Amino acid sequence: MIIRQKVPRLGLILPAYNEQEVLKITLTKLRIIRSELVKSGAITADSFIMIVDDGSKDRTWALVNEYEATNPDIIGVKLSRNFGHQPALLAGMSEASKLADIVITLDADLQDNPEIIGQMVAKYHEGYEIVYAVRSSRQTDTWFKRNTALAFYKIAAWLGVDLIPNHADFRLMSKTSVAALMKLPERNLFLRAMVPLLGYPSTEVTYERGKRQAGQSKYPLKKMLTFAIDGITSFSVKPIRFLFDLGILVVGIAGIEIVYTIFEKMFGNPQSGWSSLMISIWLLGGINLIAIGVVGIYIGKIFTEVKQRPRFQIENVTGLKEPENQADISIYKSVNAN
C-alpha cells in the first residue's frame, strides 16, 4: 500500500437535528482537534467543519449562522426539511467532498469520540480510502440495547448483509470513495451497508463510545427498530425466501396432522378438536399477516425507488469563502438532489 505524500484537506461533517444544547460544546471540541491536526501537519490549514441542519425546529440553524460568522472554518448546510439522519449524512458528504480531500462523518452529540480523528487521518496517510471507527465495547449501553444490537448484527450477517460490527456512521472516506458512493442510486439509504459495498481499501480504529453531552437522543427505540428493518430489507431478499420456507414447513405440518386425524378416525378414537382448530387458525393467520407485511415492505421500497425523488434538498449553504479554483464555485449555489 502506497504511503500518501500530499497533505489532505479535511472536512468534518456533523448532521444535526435539534442540537442547540450540545452544538457549542461539540464545535469547541472539534475546533481544538482540528487546530492540533493542522499544527502537526496531518491536514491543511483550510480544513473545515460542516454542520448539516436536518430541518431542525429549535435554534440549531441560528447557532450555525452565529458560529460561521466569526469562525472561518465553520460551514453550514441547511436542508429544506427533515429528511432523516442518513440523507443528511449523504448531503454533507456530497457538499464537503467538492472542497475536501477526505471527509469524516460523526454525530453532533460527541458520543463518537473525536479524539481518534487523528488516528483515522493517519490511516488515510497509510493509503486507506475508508477508515471505520468501531466501538471497543458496549459497556455504556443498557442491557437491552447491548443485546438487541448484538442480535441485529448476527441476524444481518445470517441474511447476507455486509456490515462492520459495532460500527455506526463514524467513518473517514476519501474523495474517491465518496464519489463512488454517490453513484449508488438507491433512495432507501443504509450507509453502514452501502459503504462496504464500494470495495476500496479499508481499515478500522477502535474507540470507547461516551455519553451524550447534552440534549436528548434523536434515536428512540421505535426509530432504531425501523432503521434496522430498513437496513436488512434494503440489502437482502432472504426474508422473503424465509417466508416461502416457512410456508412449506406449515404445509408439511398440516399434512402430518391430516394423516394423524385419519388414523385416529380409523381406529375409533377421535379427539375433540376445538383447541387445535383455534390454535391453527390463529397461527396461520399470524403467519399470513407477517408474510404480507414483509412482502409489503419490499413493495414499498420498490415504490420509493421507482419514483426517483430527491434524497435530500439543500436550501442554503453558508460560511464558504470564495474558492481559488473556479470549478468549485458551483457549491455556493448548489441545490444537490443526487
Side-chain angles (χ1 to χ4, degrees):
M1 192 169 291
I2 300 174
I3 304 298
R4 303 181 196 273
Q5 301 297 325
K6 178 185 175 183
V7 178
R9 184 182 188 186
L10 169 65
L12 291 169
I13 303 170
L14 282 74
Y17 177 68
N18 295 340
E19 296 288 5
Q20 63 178 15
E21 294 93 346
V22 75
L23 197 57
K24 181 177 180 180
I25 301 172
T26 302
L27 290 179
T28 300
K29 181 70 173 178
L30 290 180
R31 295 191 72 236
I32 292 173
I33 292 173
R34 172 197 166 279
S35 297
E36 291 173 348
L37 290 174
V38 170
K39 290 179 182 178
S40 68
I43 61 175
T44 62
D46 58 353
S47 296
F48 57 88
I49 301 170
M50 177 177 285
I51 305 102
V52 182
D53 179 18
D54 186 25
S56 297
K57 295 179 174 59
D58 62 0
R59 296 192 65 252
T60 295
W61 182 245
L63 292 175
V64 171
N65 285 322
E66 291 176 11
Y67 293 133
E68 64 85 7
T70 56
N71 300 288
D73 57 341
I74 302 293
I75 296 174
V77 175
K78 181 176 175 58
L79 302 187
S80 60
R81 62 173 176 83
N82 177 238
F83 284 86
H85 183 260
Q86 300 292 284
L89 282 174
L90 199 68
M93 286 189 284
S94 174
E95 292 299 297
S97 63
K98 295 176 182 178
L99 299 176
D101 301 304
I102 54 176
V103 300
I104 293 180
T105 57
L106 69 163
D107 290 340
D109 56 15
L110 283 185
Q111 287 188 283
D112 295 333
N113 185 3
E115 297 294 342
I116 66 164
I117 289 176
Q119 299 178 41
M120 299 171 77
V121 174
K123 291 295 183 182
Y124 169 79
H125 281 287
E126 293 176 11
Y128 293 100
E129 299 287 336
I130 302 171
V131 182
Y132 301 103
V134 178
R135 296 179 62 172
S136 57
S137 71
R138 286 188 168 270
Q139 296 305 312
T140 57
D141 288 348
T142 62
W143 179 92
F144 178 79
K145 185 174 182 180
R146 180 167 59 252
N147 286 277
T148 51
L150 293 175
F152 167 72
Y153 286 116
K154 289 180 180 179
I155 293 172
W158 178 64
L159 292 174
V161 183
D162 187 15
L163 293 175
I164 307 297
N166 294 320
H167 164 70
D169 290 298
F170 188 13
R171 69 178 72 87
L172 177 149
M173 296 183 68
S174 67
K175 191 183 189 76
T176 301
S177 61
V178 172
L181 178 64
M182 293 301 164
K183 292 179 181 179
L184 301 182
E186 56 254 52
R187 267 57 188 164
N188 297 289
L189 297 175
F190 189 58
L191 296 176
R192 300 179 194 187
M194 292 171 66
V195 175
L197 282 176
L198 301 177
Y200 285 97
S202 62
T203 188
E204 301 174 8
V205 296
T206 59
Y207 72 102
E208 189 68 33
R209 188 170 173 83
K211 296 181 179 180
R212 169 176 272 273
Q213 297 293 308
Q216 297 181 345
S217 173
K218 305 307 183 294
Y219 259 85
L221 177 61
K222 181 180 179 181
K223 186 175 287 189
M224 289 174 60
L225 290 174
T226 301
F227 187 57
I229 293 171
D230 285 345
I232 289 175
T233 53
S234 293
F235 286 85
S236 176
V237 296
K238 283 190 176 181
I240 291 181
R241 179 57 188 267
F242 173 75
L243 289 175
F244 176 79
D245 294 340
L246 181 60
I248 296 296
L249 176 62
V250 171
V251 171
I253 293 173
I256 294 172
E257 289 180 347
I258 290 172
V259 173
Y260 174 77
T261 302
I262 292 173
F263 270 95
E264 286 288 293
K265 184 69 173 178
M266 288 175 60
F267 290 100
N269 188 30
Q271 298 291 325
S272 176
W274 186 89
S275 297
S276 60
L277 177 62
M278 294 304 295
I279 291 173
S280 298
I281 290 174
W282 281 95
L283 176 62
L284 292 176
I287 292 174
N288 282 328
L289 288 176
I290 293 172
I292 293 171
V294 172
V295 174
I297 289 174
Y298 281 96
I299 293 174
K301 288 182 178 295
I302 295 171
F303 177 70
T304 300
E305 293 293 339
V306 298
K307 288 188 294 185
Q308 293 290 295
R309 288 179 178 172
R311 294 182 287 190
F312 56 84
Q313 195 75 25
I314 295 177
E315 179 181 322
N316 193 12
V317 180
T318 64
L320 292 169
K321 310 305 177 185
E322 283 297 326
E324 295 180 2
N325 184 355
Q326 292 300 307
D328 289 335
I329 291 181
S330 60
I331 189 174
Y332 298 88
K333 301 178 180 179
S334 174
V335 179
N336 194 326
N338 293 324

